[in-house]
Amino acid sequence: MKILLIEDDPHKAESLLGHIACHYANASVRSAASFQTGIRTALSDWHDIILCDMSLPTYDIKGIDSGYEMITYAGRLILTELKAKGKATPVVIVTQYTTFSEMWGTKHLAEVNEELHAEFSDTYLGAIFYCASEDSWKSELISIIDRICIQES
Amino acid sequence: MVKQIHSSNNTRSSHQEMSSLHSTKRIASIIERRLFQNREDPLPVATRLKHGLTFQQLEDIIARLRNPHTLARLFNRPIVKDYADLHHRAPNSEPTSDWLKEAAWHCLASTTYSTQIAHFLKKRVELSNFLLLGDYHKASQALDSIEQECGPSLYTLQRRFLLAHLDGGITANRSLLNSLQSSAANPVLLGISKFVSVRAEFENPAVYYEAYVRRGLGEIAQTWGLQLREYIAQYAHPLLLTPPPNPSFVLWFSNGSTIVDRYLLTIRAFRSKLASYSTVEERSQIRTLIASLSLKIQDPDLENLLALLTGAPPKSLATEAQKVYIRALDAYVAGDYISAATQGMHLLRLMPTCFHLYELVAKSCLYSGTRTPELGTTDSMANQTLGELNQFYSGRGILMGQNQLLRKIGSVLGETHLGYNLFLLSTNSQKIPQLNQTSLLSELHSTLLNPKMALGLEPHDRDTVLDWFQLAYPDSASSQFYRLKHSRKLKQNKQLKGLDYFRWRLHLAEELIAEDKCKAAQRILEKVIELLPHNDVRWHRHVLNAYSLLYDCALAMQRTLDALQAIVSAFFFHEESVTRFDLASMNLQTRTFSSEDAKHICVPIARFLALDRFSLKKGSPSDLARQSHAVYLIVDDFLAAHKCERPSDLIEVILSAPEYFEPPQSLNYFLDELCCLVVLSKAHRYASTTDELESERIKLCSFLLKVSSRNAESLKSELSAISKRRLARTVRAQVDMSRIAVNDEVLRAASLAVHASTFARFLRFSKLAASDAIEVALPSELGLNPTATKPSSPQDDFSKRPSDLCLLDIVGSLVIAFTLDENYGLNSALSRSIRHGSFLGALRKPFEQERLVTRRPLKGAPYAANEFWIAQAFSSDASTEEIAELFSHFTSRLDDLVTRTCDNLLQVRIPLKATSLFSHEDSAILNPDGLFCYVGLDREIILEARDSETPISALEDIVDLTLVKLWERTDENLRRVRAYLDSSFKQAIMRSLDELLTRAQELLPTEAFAGLHRAVTRTRTQVQHEIAGICQWFTRKLAPQYVDVPLDSVLTATIDTINECSGNFLQSIQVESKVEAKVRGKFVTHMYDLLFILLSNIVEHSASSWGTAEASVSMSFNEDHCTIIVENNCYGSNSITDVVKHANELIASSALSLRDARQGQEGNTGLAKVVKILRIDLKQPLPTILARRVGENRFRISVEIDSHEVFAA
């Protein structure tokens, strides 16, 4: 199984990778740490599933490059781009935010989730709330990946 | 006029459908424009629409008019439910006025299939008939029916008052008003109330009239806005707004509105029904109406008024003549044409100027000759009448058809004064006789020869006018006409332009579009747009109209690309004009474009405009991001059409195929607005780093600056900003973040000086022991008994070898100096640069920013309560103490973690250093040999030296070897520390944050917890960055690198970057005679480092002598901040490269810049004092810096030392 993980927080990425490795020994996970790297990787190769953070820096934070600007709804843009390019890779949003605060207002994760379901009904599998101190995200993640495995088999 | 398309054939071709679609769209567009932009009377539009349109086309028009945009304008306010609902409407408009409603009706009535509208119109006529006939009961029923079906309106309200007054008089009127007032506290009704009360109170007609006009009507008009005034002017009575002509008129008026209303209704009914009713019954009704009117109106002035309103000249008509006139009308209405003609002819003899009578007589004669059976007996009379009529016409010099000719002349002259007059005159026949040939010729002369009046007339237009004039006046071969026709001045004025010309041309183009002559219209419009002065505000409306028509034209011709060009051009002319166009539909059509059409630059721009730009400006960042992504897709499609990889590739295409990039502004707009950084950053193919992204943008900006001067300032400013950011990044990259500095050069020099004699002894002992060594070595080399000959341990071996003891002295002292030297040793760096304050301060910063941690008032005292989160949790069930304890506990854990790390890990371990204060357990976990543990290293070095194939022959050899080994071990330990910080340490912090959240969820209310969660999430990210920065501290400090840029640029970039970071952008700093800068405010540590190092660069590497450089930097210091002043005599050169060259010489001569002696001597006023205070005395605190302008080109930078940790430590 080929999984693409688009996550800029190494702590969270490590936690996700560890959990996936525990459950899927044969899973091959590629990582990307920014919106652009994520999009490029997602478009250049085939993946069974994409696990994607909602808020990402534009470019990889490397050396003196601070990654340009933080895109609050990068996950949504990735879904849009995949749809525009005809890629039907399933996408799961894994986020640490329950709300997305902006200067103009706040959107709750549930609200964003509904919007994404409506807009990308074919590829969007759902949003998982990640909290390092809780375990509920683990079962949700496994459940979604299992579903993909069953569909493929 | 639109061609009628018959729908007899059910299977219409797609072309026909498309044509129909365009036609109906165009008509809908015309309706909208006329109704809502030009504020024109909708009736002519509606009338025109009734002709030549199929049912399907009408349906389509109605459907289009019912789209949200049109309906929003057309039915801006829905029909109100009751009169009370009027109160909720905006007072500055007239929601239910007849004007608006009738506009809508006329529009909707353009289809005869609108049963609702037709029904209303029928009911309205019925109501007016009942009112006229005095059947108030039925009138009331009709009014109820209208109100029920269409809702109350001004019209129904007026009728309601009228009906009440007619039926029950003023008392009933007032009671109706009271009942309405009680049901609706409405300012409009209040105005009407005043009107009624004024009417009742003032018996003096003159006072009443004035009061009515100025108070009642005025207040209503003021309340209801201009539209009501227009309405009253149009429908109620134009004369009400003019002073009363005489007392009798006032008297008549003061009788109340009954007569007025009935009179007006009668006149209107008379006019409409006279033209359309043809049956005997209908004629009878008309006769009744007229009789009723005649009975009511006895006043001669009123008769004059009647005559005026019915089209007859009023004042010149005597009472007798009026009676004859009315009899003639009666006869005409009754169908007695012979009588009508006779009466009319009689009257004509009395009133030869009453042209209206000629029409009546002529028609009567005509009808009597064709429709009546009595023709045979009346032929002679008819002939006589016609003969007389013709004679009259001839006598007046007016020929049949002259009207048409004058009308044509008027249309050609367009909206010139004469043209307008002619147009009016030709449609208002009774005034024609007032304009005779001479006066007309005189006006024509002045019009054609006056540049102001004849602006824009084409030469052939003038010829046509003159030809027609000659035709209209066959006897016009006067000298005046001849002069006019052959005027040289007339022939010279060929290129005149002006507002009238353009208005006329636009009108002509509109007519041509309506007649499907779109190509001709397009040519006219293109010329108009070319000639119209675009920079004059007075012409804007016409320019925009021209673009709108051009758009209509293109749509009618099914040329979408041309339509897009019209949209884009209109947009460049006036941004808000895009609301005129159906951009969404255009956007859809671009998807079907051929690859050739898609290459045109107006395609992406129009698609961009089709995005909802208002939400782009006002919407949320998510909308903005989505929009910028959508814009990127548009740009990408355009690049794909040109087979370009990235926007800068377009530059070649632009140069090779400029035809795709018209109009010229579009290229600027595309590259400037669509290819901006926000959009480019969404493209995964254009760039993969920020540098690449900015390079791409720089290419575009540079190109735009080359090819156009538009937005030059803005582009330069953008380029400057990008350059500054890049420079700041580059400079920042040069900043050595390391805090591990051991001045091994000093140590080496000192060691060489101190241990020369010891090494000499070593050499002597080595020579003496050489033979023993050989003896000892031989059995080992031969392999006879290695265990017996080899020392069991180095310690045992050292005690037996004096030479080794000499080396041990040298190496051991160097290890001690390397690790423990107070000023240059490793422990000193770890202590003052990291352990004491800096580490904790840097790590605490992200937590403090989110107010997650608090401070201790005194060392060892409890932490202060976290008032912020206690306040956030005011609605919580948890007690204040619990909340305070939650955050105190978290703070304590964080501080303990840092303290433990500093105490247990970041300590140098050698035998001489006391270990009782520290626990090395954690250190041993990270490194089994102990972190920063140098115990036994000296002996290892000696063993290695002894076993080396190359014997130690010089003191430098052993010193260098020792330093290499010391750095090897140090580097390895630094690597382990970095790894520890990046893993276990960071995870421990993350666990603390998780625990904080878990506990907080139980204590804090939902809202506060959501806020805390966001704060923790932000902190998590920031802490990672901070730890990454701290990891950089644990690297060996290398020789400084400097940026080869002019000093003023460095200063500018530094100050700008500092201020951007602190959110307070500052203008660029100019290095002139003196730079005095004061920095105050909070920002990240490396920014401070950047500034400090740059200032150091300036001073240390200046072309001046060190003493001068020291004196050039001075400092004032108080409790809060120190001010560093740098004078320019410390940097005589403008380039760092130059100063570095001089600096190398300076460094070579002075060896070190931070000698104790130098500090002591010069450290009171210059840079050394700054260095001493910041780096040694204050042990590198975290300063806060802000630059403030203190005068032109003068800045004050203050370094605020506010890190409590420094003093706490």
Side-chain angles (χ1 to χ4, degrees):
Chain A
M1 167 177 276
K2 288 183 76 173
I3 299 175
L4 172 60
L5 174 64
I6 308 175
E7 175 58 61
D8 63 317
D9 181 348
H11 184 65
K12 183 178 154 194
E14 194 180 322
S15 176
L16 287 168
L17 286 172
H19 190 63
I20 292 168
C22 282
H23 282 77
Y24 305 97
N26 60 345
S28 151
V29 184
R30 291 181 71 179
S31 292
S34 67
F35 166 70
Q36 291 289 3
T37 316
I39 266 290
R40 208 173 292 124
T41 316
L43 290 175
S44 64
D45 204 354
W46 170 83
H47 299 92
D48 287 304
I49 188 169
I50 296 175
L51 306 178
C52 176
D53 195 3
M54 181 61 95
S55 303
L56 290 165
T58 307
Y59 299 112
D60 287 354
I61 300 173
K62 197 189 297 177
I64 59 169
D65 195 339
S66 57
Y68 196 57
E69 62 176 16
M70 199 75 178
I71 305 173
T72 313
Y73 289 94
R76 183 198 285 268
L77 291 188
I78 286 171
L79 278 159
T80 311
E81 182 83 8
L82 290 175
K83 189 178 179 182
K85 304 290 179 191
K87 277 259 180 186
T89 315
V91 176
V92 179
I93 299 290
V94 185
T95 178
Q96 300 182 79
Y97 295 86
T98 49
T99 54
F100 296 90
S101 299
E102 302 162 338
M103 196 183 297
W104 285 270
T106 300
K107 272 187 180 174
H108 288 271
L109 178 59
E111 194 183 344
V112 177
N113 188 32
E114 273 182 24
E115 286 178 11
L116 293 179
H117 268 303
E119 200 173 345
F120 309 100
S121 54
D122 294 340
T123 53
Y124 179 61
L125 298 182
I128 295 174
F129 173 64
Y130 171 89
C131 181
S133 60
E134 291 176 7
D135 290 337
S136 57
W137 63 269
K138 294 181 180 174
S139 54
E140 283 182 53
L141 180 64
I142 297 304
S143 153
I144 288 178
I145 296 178
D146 282 346
R147 214 163 62 213
I148 294 291
C149 292
I150 291 167
Q151 281 175 6
E152 283 191 350
S153 61
Chain B
M1 188 67 66
V2 179
K3 287 180 181 174
Q4 182 170 356
I5 301 171
H6 295 285
S7 57
S8 56
N9 189 354
N10 289 333
T11 55
R12 296 196 317 176
S13 68
S14 61
H15 176 76
Q16 282 174 319
E17 285 175 1
M18 190 59 78
S19 171
S20 170
L21 179 72
H22 284 306
S23 299
T24 52
K25 278 169 70 178
R26 191 168 66 251
I27 291 165
S29 167
I30 291 170
I31 290 174
E32 284 191 42
R33 189 165 56 249
R34 288 205 168 184
L35 283 182
F36 306 110
Q37 290 174 20
N38 299 347
R39 295 276 175 191
E40 285 185 18
D41 183 3
L43 189 56
V45 184
T47 310
R48 280 178 54 185
L49 289 175
K50 285 179 183 173
H51 304 290
L53 289 176
T54 63
F55 173 74
Q56 284 83 357
Q57 285 173 312
L58 287 167
E59 285 291 306
D60 190 32
I61 290 170
I62 298 305
R64 286 179 185 285
L65 287 174
R66 284 174 182 172
N67 74 43
H69 290 294
T70 308
L71 287 182
R73 293 179 186 173
L74 197 61
F75 299 110
N76 194 20
R77 296 165 194 286
I79 294 172
V80 293
K81 292 174 186 172
D82 50 38
Y83 291 113
D85 197 28
L86 288 171
H87 180 59
H88 303 297
R89 305 297 173 195
N92 60 350
S93 63
E94 191 179 3
T96 56
S97 78
D98 269 4
W99 185 88
L100 187 61
K101 189 168 276 185
E102 287 206 9
W105 289 333
H106 281 309
C107 225
L108 292 173
S110 60
T111 166
T112 53
Y113 306 95
S114 176
T115 52
Q116 186 187 359
I117 301 301
H119 186 63
F120 170 76
L121 294 174
K122 191 176 169 186
K123 286 274 179 190
R124 194 171 65 168
V125 172
E126 199 176 289
L127 172 65
S128 72
N129 283 346
F130 286 136
L131 284 173
L132 287 168
L133 295 171
D135 192 344
Y136 302 126
H137 179 65
K138 286 186 178 175
S140 176
Q141 284 178 341
L143 192 55
D144 288 343
S145 170
I146 291 173
E147 278 189 353
Q148 195 176 355
E149 290 177 16
C150 306
S153 67
L154 179 63
Y155 169 77
T156 56
L157 189 61
Q158 269 194 337
R159 297 302 99 174
R160 181 74 60 195
F161 275 110
L162 175 62
L163 185 59
H165 203 137
L166 289 173
D167 201 11
I170 188 76
T171 313
N173 204 331
R174 188 178 290 169
S175 68
L176 170 64
L177 183 67
N178 287 337
S179 67
L180 286 172
Q181 274 186 305
S182 62
S183 64
N186 193 309
V188 176
L189 294 175
L190 204 61
I192 296 173
S193 163
K194 284 184 181 174
F195 162 58
V196 173
S197 56
V198 163
R199 185 170 60 183
E201 288 169 9
F202 290 91
E203 292 184 356
N204 185 328
V207 175
Y208 164 62
Y209 173 81
E210 187 180 352
Y212 170 76
V213 173
R214 293 193 182 170
R215 291 184 57 185
L217 187 60
E219 286 191 27
I220 295 170
Q222 191 179 4
T223 311
W224 287 58
L226 188 61
Q227 289 181 7
L228 178 70
R229 205 151 48 231
E230 288 171 354
Y231 171 83
I232 292 169
Q234 186 179 354
Y235 289 106
H237 205 304
L239 294 177
L240 292 180
L241 299 177
T242 59
N246 55 49
S248 63
F249 175 77
V250 176
L251 187 62
W252 161 76
F253 184 78
S254 67
N255 286 337
S257 66
T258 309
I259 294 175
V260 177
D261 282 323
R262 296 192 64 143
Y263 170 70
L264 290 173
L265 284 168
T266 307
I267 296 302
R268 289 167 66 183
F270 174 76
R271 277 186 164 176
S272 61
K273 289 171 183 177
L274 190 66
S276 58
Y277 285 24
S278 57
T279 64
V280 175
E281 280 183 13
E282 286 167 348
R283 286 192 210 119
S284 171
Q285 280 186 2
I286 294 294
R287 202 169 16 242
T288 309
L289 289 176
I290 294 173
S292 168
L293 183 66
S294 302
L295 287 174
K296 292 284 179 184
I297 302 171
Q298 299 293 333
D299 192 279
D301 285 324
L302 278 183
E303 291 184 2
N304 277 349
L305 185 64
L306 168 68
L308 176 68
L309 291 172
T310 50
K315 291 181 181 176
S316 59
L317 205 63
T319 309
E320 182 62 28
Q322 279 192 35
K323 288 178 183 173
V324 177
Y325 177 62
I326 290 171
R327 280 202 296 274
L329 283 178
D330 274 338
Y332 181 82
V333 171
D336 187 358
Y337 298 115
I338 296 172
S339 174
T342 309
Q343 297 284 349
M345 290 302 293
H346 174 63
L347 190 58
L348 272 175
R349 290 189 186 93
L350 296 173
M351 302 291 299
T353 58
C354 184
F355 184 75
H356 185 74
L357 278 173
Y358 289 101
E359 190 178 346
L360 177 72
V361 172
K363 282 183 179 175
S364 299
C365 291
L366 189 65
Y367 292 152
S368 65
T370 56
R371 295 177 61 181
T372 56
E374 301 85 359
L375 260 181
T377 58
T378 56
D379 273 353
S380 57
M381 186 184 285
N383 288 334
Q384 184 189 354
T385 308
L386 287 171
E388 286 179 8
L389 190 63
N390 281 333
Q391 190 182 359
F392 171 76
Y393 281 140
S394 305
R396 299 289 304 166
I398 299 171
L399 295 172
M400 298 297 280
Q402 190 182 25
N403 270 10
Q404 284 72 16
L405 286 170
L406 291 177
R407 191 185 177 94
K408 281 186 177 181
I409 292 174
S411 67
V412 171
L413 291 176
E415 296 188 28
T416 59
H417 183 255
L418 178 59
Y420 185 67
N421 278 342
L422 282 174
F423 184 80
L424 283 182
L425 288 172
S426 63
T427 55
N428 198 358
S429 55
Q430 81 269 13
K431 289 188 179 178
I432 286 289
Q434 297 170 1
L435 191 66
N436 60 29
Q437 177 187 346
T438 311
S439 61
L440 179 60
L441 186 60
S442 173
E443 278 218 40
L444 199 60
H445 188 271
S446 60
T447 299
L448 294 182
L449 292 184
N450 186 339
K452 286 184 180 176
M453 295 179 72
L455 287 177
L457 278 179
E458 301 281 354
H460 68 267
D461 292 338
R462 299 172 191 198
D463 293 341
T464 308
V465 167
L466 293 172
D467 288 345
W468 282 342
F469 181 82
Q470 203 166 14
L471 193 63
Y473 297 91
D475 57 342
S476 61
S478 64
S479 58
Q480 193 184 6
F481 181 77
Y482 183 84
R483 281 201 307 275
L484 176 63
K485 192 164 185 182
H486 297 92
S487 167
R488 190 179 297 169
K489 191 177 176 185
L490 187 65
K491 290 178 181 173
Q492 287 172 348
N493 292 334
K494 288 183 180 177
Q495 298 301 323
L496 292 174
K497 304 173 185 66
L499 178 63
D500 295 327
Y501 167 75
F502 292 118
R503 285 163 68 183
W504 168 64
R505 300 299 282 179
L506 288 175
H507 184 71
L508 185 62
E510 196 173 337
E511 294 289 335
L512 287 171
I513 293 170
E515 291 168 15
D516 265 356
K517 296 174 182 171
C518 294
K519 281 188 180 175
Q522 191 180 19
R523 280 197 299 275
I524 290 173
L525 289 167
E526 283 171 357
K527 188 177 175 188
V528 166
I529 289 170
E530 181 191 337
L531 294 176
L532 269 171
H534 286 212
N535 53 357
D536 191 338
V537 179
R538 291 173 301 171
W539 303 79
H540 278 190
R541 190 164 61 89
H542 302 290
V543 178
L544 290 176
N545 279 341
Y547 280 122
S548 295
L549 290 170
L550 203 58
Y551 168 78
D552 290 341
C553 237
L555 284 187
M557 293 189 289
Q558 300 181 34
R559 293 169 65 171
T560 314
L561 188 61
D562 288 351
L564 289 184
Q565 278 182 307
I567 292 173
V568 170
S569 300
F571 171 73
F572 287 136
F573 177 70
H574 185 58
E575 288 194 5
E576 299 303 323
S577 67
V578 288
T579 53
R580 291 169 169 239
F581 307 105
D582 187 4
L583 287 166
S585 160
M586 288 288 99
N587 190 21
L588 286 177
Q589 291 189 38
T590 56
R591 295 181 185 177
T592 58
F593 268 14
S594 67
S595 58
E596 192 60 26
D597 283 350
K599 284 182 178 178
H600 204 283
I601 199 164
C602 67
V603 176
I605 293 177
R607 285 180 63 190
F608 174 65
L609 297 178
L611 297 174
D612 190 353
R613 298 187 309 121
F614 293 105
S615 76
L616 192 68
K617 286 176 183 171
K618 297 175 185 173
S620 67
S622 60
D623 292 334
L624 190 71
R626 289 173 69 183
Q627 292 280 8
S628 57
H629 190 258
V631 177
Y632 146 64
L633 294 177
I634 292 170
V635 172
D636 212 35
D637 286 348
F638 183 63
L639 294 180
H642 284 283
K643 296 177 181 170
C644 291
E645 185 70 20
R646 55 187 65 197
S648 57
D649 296 345
L650 272 179
I651 293 173
E652 283 183 18
V653 182
I654 292 163
L655 298 174
S656 60
E659 67 273 12
Y660 291 123
F661 300 91
E662 292 291 337
Q665 309 98 300
S666 59
L667 177 64
N668 270 68
Y669 189 80
F670 177 79
L671 293 180
D672 200 11
E673 299 286 335
L674 275 73
C675 298
C676 58
L677 277 173
V678 181
V679 174
L680 295 182
S681 69
K682 301 295 177 300
H684 64 274
R685 286 196 286 115
Y686 304 162
S688 54
T689 62
T690 308
D691 259 358
E692 285 179 22
L693 173 73
E694 289 175 341
S695 299
E696 182 69 15
R697 183 65 189 155
I698 284 174
K699 280 182 198 169
L700 298 179
C701 290
S702 308
F703 173 74
L704 283 175
L705 276 174
K706 269 185 201 169
V707 298
S708 163
S709 59
R710 186 175 171 269
N711 285 345
E713 285 306 313
S714 148
L715 288 170
K716 281 178 189 171
S717 151
E718 188 178 353
L719 274 178
S720 165
I722 294 175
S723 305
K724 278 178 188 173
R725 282 202 300 271
R726 287 162 72 92
L727 177 64
R729 277 206 304 274
T730 314
V731 170
R732 208 166 64 207
Q734 309 286 331
V735 174
D736 186 4
M737 299 287 289
S738 164
R739 299 198 172 197
I740 303 297
V742 176
N743 202 330
D744 43 7
E745 282 193 30
V746 174
L747 299 179
R748 187 174 183 277
S751 187
L752 291 175
V754 170
H755 294 294
S757 58
T758 310
F759 189 74
R761 283 204 304 279
F762 161 75
L763 288 176
R764 283 201 299 277
F765 286 128
S766 295
K767 283 176 187 173
L768 287 173
S771 56
D772 296 339
I774 292 166
E775 286 170 7
V776 172
L778 274 176
S780 170
E781 287 169 3
L782 293 171
L784 296 174
N785 187 4
T787 52
T789 54
K790 249 191 162 178
S792 57
S793 70
Q795 185 69 39
D796 299 337
D797 195 27
F798 287 138
S799 60
K800 294 176 183 176
R801 286 175 175 257
S803 60
D804 287 349
L805 291 175
C806 291
L807 279 184
L808 192 62
D809 187 22
I810 297 169
V811 173
S813 63
L814 195 53
V815 169
I816 290 168
F818 184 91
T819 52
L820 295 184
D821 186 279
E822 191 180 341
N823 291 321
Y824 316 118
L826 177 63
N827 194 51
S828 171
L830 283 172
S831 169
R832 69 166 179 253
S833 303
I834 296 171
R835 285 203 304 266
H836 293 282
S838 297
F839 191 5
L840 186 59
L843 195 69
R844 256 178 164 263
K845 198 187 309 175
F847 294 92
E848 285 177 349
Q849 279 172 352
E850 298 295 342
R851 306 181 203 194
L852 296 179
V853 294
T854 53
R855 299 175 181 179
R856 295 176 200 259
L858 293 168
K859 196 173 182 180
Y863 287 101
N866 195 325
E867 298 294 344
F868 177 78
W869 289 106
I870 288 172
Q872 296 289 312
F874 70 94
S875 62
S876 165
D877 295 335
S879 66
T880 305
E881 288 74 22
E882 283 177 308
I883 307 287
E885 195 277 331
L886 171 71
F887 286 96
S888 295
H889 176 71
F890 173 73
T891 310
S892 166
R893 279 195 64 175
L894 182 71
D895 286 355
D896 287 350
L897 179 64
V898 177
T899 309
R900 209 169 58 246
T901 301
C902 291
D903 289 351
N904 297 349
L905 301 180
L906 308 181
Q907 299 286 350
V908 172
R909 187 183 175 195
I910 60 167
L912 285 178
K913 191 175 182 199
T915 57
S916 59
L917 292 174
F918 319 122
S919 161
H920 288 283
E921 289 172 8
D922 293 338
S923 171
I925 294 168
L926 288 181
N927 186 350
D929 297 328
L931 204 60
F932 298 115
C933 177
Y934 298 90
V935 176
L937 180 65
D938 46 1
R939 293 159 198 274
E940 285 175 26
I941 292 168
I942 291 165
L943 281 175
E944 189 175 325
R946 205 169 65 186
D947 294 342
S948 170
E949 291 178 358
T950 311
I952 302 290
S953 58
L955 179 56
E956 286 84 353
D957 293 343
I958 189 66
V959 170
D960 289 344
L961 178 65
T962 306
L963 288 172
V964 167
K965 287 295 169 188
L966 281 166
W967 274 121
E968 274 180 7
R969 178 160 292 193
T970 307
D971 286 342
E972 172 60 18
N973 285 321
L974 291 174
R975 188 189 65 74
R976 287 173 188 271
V977 170
R978 289 199 300 271
Y980 161 73
L981 291 175
D982 206 27
S983 54
S984 307
F985 181 79
K986 190 159 68 178
Q987 283 172 9
I989 290 177
M990 297 303 168
R991 276 197 299 276
S992 303
L993 283 168
D994 291 341
E995 190 184 313
L996 173 70
L997 276 184
T998 310
R999 289 190 60 198
Q1001 195 165 13
E1002 297 165 3
L1003 298 175
L1004 297 181
T1006 313
E1007 283 296 315
F1009 178 73
L1012 179 66
H1013 193 280
R1014 284 194 294 273
V1016 166
T1017 309
R1018 284 192 295 268
T1019 308
R1020 228 188 274 273
T1021 310
Q1022 195 57 38
V1023 161
Q1024 289 184 50
H1025 290 304
E1026 205 60 55
I1027 289 178
I1030 292 172
C1031 284
Q1032 289 293 309
W1033 296 358
F1034 293 94
T1035 51
R1036 198 201 305 189
K1037 207 171 190 61
L1038 302 172
Q1041 299 288 320
Y1042 302 108
V1043 187
D1044 186 16
V1045 289
L1047 292 179
D1048 55 349
S1049 298
V1050 173
L1051 269 181
T1052 304
T1054 308
I1055 301 297
D1056 284 353
T1057 312
I1058 287 166
N1059 285 284
E1060 279 170 13
C1061 286
S1062 62
N1064 180 17
F1065 186 77
L1066 192 73
Q1067 296 299 314
S1068 61
I1069 186 170
Q1070 297 294 323
V1071 179
E1072 289 195 348
S1073 61
K1074 188 175 181 181
V1075 176
E1076 189 182 50
K1078 185 175 181 181
V1079 180
R1080 190 186 184 91
K1082 289 188 181 295
F1083 71 104
V1084 290
T1085 313
H1086 61 262
M1087 282 301 157
Y1088 157 71
D1089 290 337
L1090 175 64
L1091 175 71
F1092 189 82
I1093 288 171
L1094 286 167
L1095 289 175
S1096 303
N1097 283 351
I1098 292 166
V1099 176
E1100 290 184 21
H1101 303 290
S1102 69
S1104 311
S1105 67
W1106 174 250
T1108 310
E1110 279 282 279
S1112 302
V1113 177
S1114 59
M1115 184 189 72
S1116 63
F1117 185 79
N1118 63 24
E1119 289 179 357
D1120 294 328
H1121 63 266
C1122 63
T1123 304
I1124 304 169
I1125 300 169
V1126 185
E1127 294 184 21
N1128 84 329
N1129 56 4
C1130 68
Y1131 44 91
S1133 165
N1134 276 331
S1135 163
I1136 288 279
T1137 309
D1138 294 337
V1139 293
V1140 165
K1141 185 180 167 189
H1142 292 282
N1144 287 333
E1145 297 170 10
L1146 278 170
I1147 289 169
S1149 62
S1150 60
L1152 288 169
S1153 61
L1154 294 178
R1155 274 186 184 156
D1156 288 341
R1158 191 170 289 278
Q1159 283 179 32
Q1161 289 167 9
E1162 302 175 5
N1164 293 325
T1165 57
L1167 178 67
K1169 182 173 179 183
V1170 181
V1171 174
K1172 182 169 179 285
I1173 291 170
L1174 296 182
R1175 289 193 170 181
I1176 298 172
D1177 295 352
L1178 300 181
K1179 300 186 186 304
Q1180 291 199 0
L1182 297 174
T1184 51
I1185 297 179
L1186 181 70
R1188 185 166 59 86
R1189 183 185 284 276
V1190 293
E1192 193 178 354
N1193 299 326
R1194 284 168 63 85
F1195 294 85
R1196 183 174 290 275
I1197 300 174
S1198 69
V1199 179
E1200 184 181 346
I1201 303 162
D1202 69 342
S1203 175
H1204 61 95
E1205 300 297 343
V1206 172
F1207 301 105

